[in-house]
Amino acid sequence: MLQLDGRDGGGQLVRTALSLSAVTGQAICIENVRGGRPNPGLKPQHVAAIETVGRATEATVSGVERESERFSFAPETVRGGAFAVEVGTAGSVALVCDAVAPLAVALDRPLTVTLHGGTDVQWSPPVDYLREVKLPLLRAVGLDAELAVHQRGFYPVGGGSLTLTIRPSSLTALRLRRRGSIERLSVYALASDSLESASVAERLAETVRERIEDGSKGEMVTETAEIETTAEIETTATYAETDCPGAVVTLVADCGTSRAGFDALGRRGVPAEDVADEVVDAFRAWRATGAPVDEHLGDQLLVWLALAGGEVRMPHSTDHVETNAELIRAFEYDLQVGDSERGVVASAPSPEE
């Protein structure tokens, strides 16, 4: 059984360890789960991720309960099928999907998982980021996956649901060293029905669009020296029935062979325009780096680099990246993370190399 220490990392270490345990068949024991956090131990979304991957692999588990700081996970064979998992709170269902999706490389038949919880909550990618940024990029390298969103769920009640279907997949190497010109910008704004009278979704979407258009006049792409305003900007503003009020806006940058995403959640007392400003500020900071992916996607792609090989340049390294890479190497994957002239490059050999 592989002994792992989660003291220096967060939930990403739990998800990465589950994914690699499942596809390699290596049993794991993680101690000091989220030990460096103010509220250590497993949270509902972590418990749900363990339950989901456990059911998909007929795993033997122990210590899996809320606030537990130690658990073990011993998988059998990755199998297909269909089942549902309830997070039980507004815990992120998108993060549970992160733990499940890599199992596609070990499947022999489709796996369908329906998850109930929070679709758009703090400290996790909103469902539009998963649907419009991460999954399209992974499909381009061979992941066969579909995502159906049934209902949106905000903090603190949750009540959202989605279904992730993955099929047996063979991956090609990720080649994300350089960023091409930004071909399209898409803005997805969604708010609860109760906020429609205040036009919250429209204000979120239009503020993002206007600020990008006004601020990009004459600006140049750092690496390719092409004018940013050549990118088409599409906006979508929608409303949905939810169990509690909330709003979210996601900006997606389509760079042809790569993607990046930036998002923000509405908060009580904060004008929609200020929320939109956060998204545009993050986009501009990323754009100036010339990196092909945003920093959060760079971290999330490390497990896929281990499985498929290739290289990914991200804007800069973070504690998340360093701890995640160290855990991946504990599974004997040759994953390297190092500085480059522009940002940080993570690389791994392809399985056939």
Side-chain angles (χ1 to χ4, degrees), residues 212-227:
I212 291 175
E213 290 181 342
D214 292 345
S216 63
K217 294 176 181 177
E219 291 186 9
M220 311 295 279
V221 179
T222 305
E223 188 168 283
T224 61
E226 293 189 25
I227 300 175

Side-chain angles (χ1 to χ4, degrees), residues 1-6 12-30 53 71-75 99 102-103 302-307 323-336 348-349:
M1 182 171 286
L2 183 61
Q3 302 292 322
L4 301 168
D5 192 331
Q12 182 66 61
L13 293 189
V14 174
R15 293 185 294 275
T16 297
L18 286 172
S19 298
L20 295 182
S21 175
V23 301
T24 63
Q26 173 69 63
I28 59 173
C29 177
I30 302 184
V53 179
F71 75 92
S72 63
F73 182 91
L103 275 59
L302 292 184
V303 67
W304 296 94
L305 268 177
L307 296 173
T323 56
N324 201 15
E326 183 177 354
L327 182 140
I328 290 169
R329 287 192 286 267
F331 283 87
E332 299 186 355
Y333 287 98
D334 183 15
L335 176 69
Q336 303 298 320

